[in-house]
Each structure stands twice: as structure tokens, then as C-alpha cells.
């Protein structure tokens, strides 16, 4: 069998995989025992976590496209490299910069104004070009390596294919322990960065990692769909007439790290501010599930695309796992 980083395809283990096995494997990857020259394994784990709600598939596996995986991968690294100037690789005598750093530095050399803007603000055609390059150049160095570290329990892949096939047992485990895995991943990533960066750039390192994926501010398209097509003019939580409309993540953005129509509700400013980073009371879960059952029937390509990976039990599962992960009920 070739070295992990040199694998071009791999299957995943058949049959049930228990939680103890997954914890053992994650702890191995986060430890110094797992060979790492770059932070790519941490970056890929974070990208998979961020894409759990973009997965689609059957009972035994869920597909996540390389475009989505490395779209998040690129976005997560953007601030770390361009804003915080954190090196991501142990120098190998040939270069002190990883491939993703080289790609970003090449872009900024061409377009210096990009250095001070969020990744999402880069013009669409240029951003897609960068994601394509990141996917092409980075996946061959990390997909096989992480697959090998996880002993074929996490995903199946073919580098010539379109994406990863996440093991359904891995999906359920990562969703259930999403908060805990993210914290462990950030901590291990920070420890690695401290070894290869000057003290001047590692200040508040965990904050920098956690904020690497910025929350989108422009939610107007979701407001329009919910206001015009379904919820009309009343707040989801209080039922009062809306004079000023806020768009609220039903399950907090800090848990889901995604903007999806099925997770948005319209709220008055008082309810939205009061809810903050909390989860709603359980009684609202059934309400939003019923709302989504009706909303997904709307004949709109935008709505249908937003519900492409939606599963009926997703909201209730996320609510349960968010609560177990420490999110307070409003």
C-alpha cells in the first residue's frame, strides 16, 4: 500500500463503527504520533465539519463534492494566511510555505487589493478559480493521508472523482460531537502553529482559528424568500407583527457554520437579540420542521437548491447535539 499522502483512491470500512473507535482515531490524528508537515489535516477536518450539512447520499455514505470541501478549505485558510500571516508548514529546505500559502500569495501579488478583503468578497470568477486551484493542488497532499490515519473509517475517495463519500457512521459521530471535535481540532492546530511561527503572530491563536470562517452579513435573499413566500409579517418566536425584520439562525451559526434557508426564521429585534447564541426551546423544533415541510414545496430553483441536502430529522438532531455540546436553551 502506498504512503497515505500518495494514495489516489481508497474505500471505507464496511459494517458498524463504534464511538470508541472514532475517538481513538481522532485522538491519534490530533496527537504528535500522526505525521504532519503542514496543517492540512486540521484544515481538512474543519472543512468536513463545516460541510456536514452539504452532504447528500444514501444510507451508508454521504457525498461531499471536492468543490465544497476545498471551497471551505480555501475560505478557512484565507484569514489565517493573508490577515494573520500564520505559516502553515514546517520548512522542508525547498520552501517555507505550503501550497495554499503560495497560491494566496500569488493571487495577492496579482491583485494587491485582495489582501484586505474577506474571501467571500473576492469576485466570483476569481474566487472559483482559486478554489479550483486549491482543490487540484492540495487534495493530493491530504486526502489520502487523512484517509490512512483514520484507517478507512472516515471516508472513501478517488482523486479523479468529484468528491468524498463520508461514512454514515462517521457522519453521525461528527454531527453528535461536532462542538467537541472542533475544539480539539483547534487546540491541536494551534499547538502546531505555535511551533512554526514567531511569537508576534500567535497572539490569541485560538480566536483566530475559530474566526477563520467569518459569518456572512448579507442575508437579504433569505429575508425576501421567508417574508414573501411563507412567514408573511409575523415573528417566528413571538408571533407579533414585524416592523423591523431580523433573519435569525434557528440553530446558531457557531454550531452549523452554514447559511441555509431551512435554518433561518424571521424574528423581531427583541427576540433575535435575546436569543443571541442560544438554541430555541424544544417546542419550536416541531414548528420549524412543519414550516420546512411547507417551504420545501415552493416551486423555486433557489428554494429547491437550499433544501437539496435537507433531511426531516436534521433540525431535531442538531438541536439535541448543540444542547449536549453546551449551547444554552433560550
Amino acid at each position: 500500500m502506498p504512503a497515505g499522502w500518495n494514495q489516489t483512491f481508497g474505500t471505507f470500512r464496511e459494517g458498524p463503527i463504534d464511538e470508541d473507535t472514532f475517538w481513538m482515531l481522532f485522538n491519534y490524528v490530533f496527537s504528535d504520533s500522526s505525521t504532519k508537515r503542514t496543517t492540512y489535516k486540521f484544515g481538512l477536518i474543519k472543512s468536513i465539519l463545516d460541510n456536514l450539512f452539504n452532504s447528500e447520499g444514501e444510507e451508508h455514505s454521504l457525498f461531499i463534492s471536492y468543490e465544497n470541501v476545498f471551497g471551505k478549505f480555501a475560505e478557512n485558510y484565507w484569514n489565517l494566511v493573508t490577515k494573520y500571516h500564520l505559516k502553515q508548514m514546517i520548512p522542508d529546505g525547498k520552501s517555507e510555505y505550503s501550497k495554499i500559502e503560495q497560491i494566496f500569495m500569488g493571487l495577492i501579488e496579482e491583485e494587491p487589493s485582495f489582501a484586505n478583503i474577506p474571501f467571500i468578497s473576492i469576485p466570483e470568477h476569481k474566487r472559483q478559480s482559486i478554489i479550483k486551484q486549491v482543490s487540484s493542488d492540495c487534495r493530493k497532499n491530504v486526502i489520502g493521508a487523512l484517509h490512512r490515519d483514520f484507517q478507512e473509517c472516515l471516508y472513501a475517495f478517488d482523486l479523479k472523482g468529484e468528491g468524498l463519500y463520508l461514512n454514515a457512521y462517521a457522519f453521525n459521530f461528527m454531527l453528535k460531537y461536532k462542538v467537541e471535535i472542533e475544539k480539539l481540532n483547534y487546540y491541536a492546530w494551534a499547538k502546531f502553529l505555535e511551533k512554526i511561527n514567531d511569537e508576534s503572530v500567535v497572539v490569541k491563536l485560538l480566536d483566530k482559528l475559530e474566526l477563520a470562517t467569518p459569518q456572512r452579513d448579507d442575508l437579504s435573499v433569505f429575508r425576501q424568500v421567508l417574508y414573501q413566500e411563507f412567514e408573511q409579517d409575523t415573528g417566528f418566536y413571538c408571533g407579533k407583527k414585524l416592523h423591523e425584520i431580523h433573519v435569525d439562525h434557528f440553530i446558531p451559526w457557531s454550531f452549523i457554520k452554514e447559511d441555509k434557508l431551512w435554518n433561518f426564521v424571521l424574528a423581531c429585534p427583541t427576540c433575535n437579540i435575546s436569543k443571541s447564541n442560544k438554541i430555541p426551546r424544544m417546542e419550536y423544533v416541531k414548528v420549524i420542521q412543519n414550516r420546512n415541510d411547507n417551504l420545501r414545496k415552493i416551486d423555486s430553483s433557489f428554494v429547491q437548491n437550499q433544501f437539496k441536502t435537507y433531511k426531516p430529522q436534521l433540525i431535531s438532531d442538531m438541536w439535541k447535539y448543540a444542547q449536549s455540546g453546551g449551547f444554552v436553551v433560550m
Side-chain angles (χ1 to χ4, degrees), residues 155-202:
Y155 53 73
F157 76 99
D158 184 341
L159 292 184
K160 295 181 180 179
E162 298 298 319
L164 305 175
Y165 289 87
L166 190 64
N167 189 318
Y169 295 101
F171 171 85
N172 291 327
F173 177 84
M174 294 178 82
L175 180 59
K176 181 176 182 179
Y177 296 106
K178 188 172 186 289
V179 174
E180 292 86 348
I181 296 169
E182 282 181 334
K183 289 178 180 177
L184 291 169
N185 193 47
Y186 287 147
Y187 179 72
W189 196 340
K191 281 182 62 180
F192 188 92
L193 291 175
E194 285 178 341
K195 295 178 182 178
I196 59 176
N197 284 276
D198 296 334
E199 290 185 6
S200 60
V201 296
V202 296

Side-chain angles (χ1 to χ4, degrees), residues 1 7 63 89 115-116 145 158 178 207 266 272 278 290:
M1 181 181 289
Q7 285 183 241
F63 177 76
M89 185 183 83
N116 300 311
D158 184 341
K178 188 172 186 289
D207 288 343
L266 300 183
N272 190 41
K278 303 181 184 74
N290 291 337

Side-chain angles (χ1 to χ4, degrees), residues 61-98:
S61 67
L62 295 100
F63 177 76
I64 308 176
S65 70
Y66 287 134
E67 181 180 2
N68 282 337
V69 169
F70 288 96
K72 283 290 187 183
F73 193 84
E75 183 177 25
N76 290 336
Y77 272 102
W78 180 256
N79 276 344
L80 299 180
V81 173
T82 66
K83 183 177 180 179
Y84 302 131
H85 309 293
L86 286 160
K87 294 181 180 179
Q88 302 293 323
M89 185 183 83
I90 298 173
D92 60 0
K94 298 178 181 179
S95 174
E96 62 177 313
Y97 298 109
S98 64

Side-chain angles (χ1 to χ4, degrees), residues 300-319:
S300 159
S301 58
F302 173 78
V303 173
Q304 294 304 313
N305 186 60
Q306 286 287 306
F307 276 86
K308 186 177 181 181
T309 59
Y310 178 77
K311 304 169 183 66
Q313 289 299 114
L314 190 56
I315 293 284
S316 58
D317 286 346
M318 285 194 299
W319 189 95

Side-chain angles (χ1 to χ4, degrees), residues 147-158:
H147 177 270
R148 180 83 174 262
D149 279 357
F150 272 95
Q151 299 178 16
E152 303 183 338
C153 291
L154 193 61
Y155 53 73
F157 76 99
D158 184 341

